[in-house]
Amino acid sequence: MKNRLRVLRAEHSLSQADLANRLGIARQTANALETGKYAPSLPLAFKIAKLFDRPIEAIFEPESEDR
Amino acid sequence: MSLIAYFMSMINDTTDPQPPASFARRYYIELGSAMAAYGVVLIASVSLLQRHPDPHWVAPIAIAPAIPACFALLAILRHLQRLDELHQRIMLDACAFAAGSVAIITFAYGFLEDNAGYPHVSLIFVLPLTALMFGLAAALAARRYA
């Protein structure tokens, strides 16, 4: 799962620790999300979308559109 | 039954996920208290058994250390409930590996004991073996997301 978390975090001047605190997750989890090593659950994805005031699809994108 | 209900209420901690720093201390206090109680009860149990108590009391005294061990298990379960979703995933992977590997190791050793004359090993080693496998698997699973 590709994402724009790093860009959005920079735009909002947030450190990874700040992002983790706001989402109620560990900093390692924020890092794993940002690097695409972990795809968030739907509730966490909604939380991230709400934090950055963007729709989920503007933040997360599947690796391929294969169906 | 009320004891079971109490245990279940302790496990079903509905606290919302919090930043790890805020609940790690609580976990260490809960687990540390349970382990300290375990140490005290274990020493008391062993020393009482060495004094050859009434046969009716041998089993209750021998099993007594398992009670604080249950509280240690509850502390771990409560901690798991408070972890974020990635760390719950890592713990779930580690639990699955630990349960599966210990099942296979004990099953295989059972064959060796029954059919190849290997010495009998006490069931008491199942818990440390499970903890070892869990620790190894958790470390490996965490590396995948580092």
Side-chain angles (χ1 to χ4, degrees):
Chain A
M1 182 86 71
K2 287 190 282 187
N3 66 71
R4 297 186 62 241
L5 275 177
R6 192 182 297 269
V7 176
L8 290 168
R9 184 168 62 77
E11 282 174 9
H12 287 74
S13 306
L14 293 172
S15 67
Q16 266 189 0
D18 295 334
L19 178 67
N21 278 334
R22 293 206 187 184
L23 295 171
I25 58 176
R27 197 199 57 76
Q28 297 95 314
T29 305
N31 183 58
L33 286 168
E34 207 171 275
T35 53
K37 288 179 178 168
Y38 175 67
S41 68
L42 201 50
L44 181 56
F46 272 112
K47 218 169 169 179
I48 294 167
K50 192 178 174 189
L51 176 68
F52 292 120
D53 197 22
R54 299 273 210 291
I56 288 177
E57 61 269 28
I59 303 173
F60 296 99
E61 189 185 326
E63 290 286 350
S64 87
E65 292 295 330
D66 295 348
R67 306 208 172 197
Chain B
M1 286 303 286
S2 61
L3 196 63
I4 293 170
Y6 171 69
F7 279 175
M8 291 313 291
S9 71
M10 283 186 76
I11 293 170
N12 294 327
D13 183 351
T14 53
T15 313
D16 284 336
Q18 306 156 38
S22 65
F23 61 70
R25 190 165 168 267
R26 196 169 151 189
Y27 170 60
Y28 292 130
I29 290 171
E30 288 179 5
L31 186 65
S33 306
M35 293 311 291
Y38 170 77
V40 169
V41 175
L42 181 65
I43 291 166
S45 168
V46 170
S47 65
L48 281 172
L49 288 172
Q50 284 171 346
R51 292 177 194 170
H52 305 292
D54 185 284
H56 291 100
W57 283 101
V58 170
I61 292 170
I63 208 171
I67 297 167
C70 287
F71 284 96
L73 173 65
L74 285 173
I76 293 167
L77 291 175
R78 281 162 60 82
H79 180 64
L80 289 179
Q81 296 256 321
R82 296 184 210 119
L83 290 176
D84 69 28
E85 59 183 56
L86 173 58
H87 287 85
Q88 283 183 345
R89 169 72 184 266
I90 290 169
M91 295 294 120
L92 179 65
D93 287 354
C95 269
F97 178 81
S101 59
V102 170
I104 289 170
I105 289 168
T106 52
F107 189 62
Y109 196 80
F111 283 120
L112 291 172
E113 233 181 58
D114 288 352
N115 304 323
Y118 274 56
H120 175 69
V121 174
S122 169
L123 283 175
I124 209 158
F125 290 106
V126 170
L127 177 58
L129 180 63
T130 308
L132 175 70
M133 290 303 178
F134 179 84
L136 286 174
L140 288 173
R143 280 186 63 180
R144 260 193 294 160
Y145 301 103

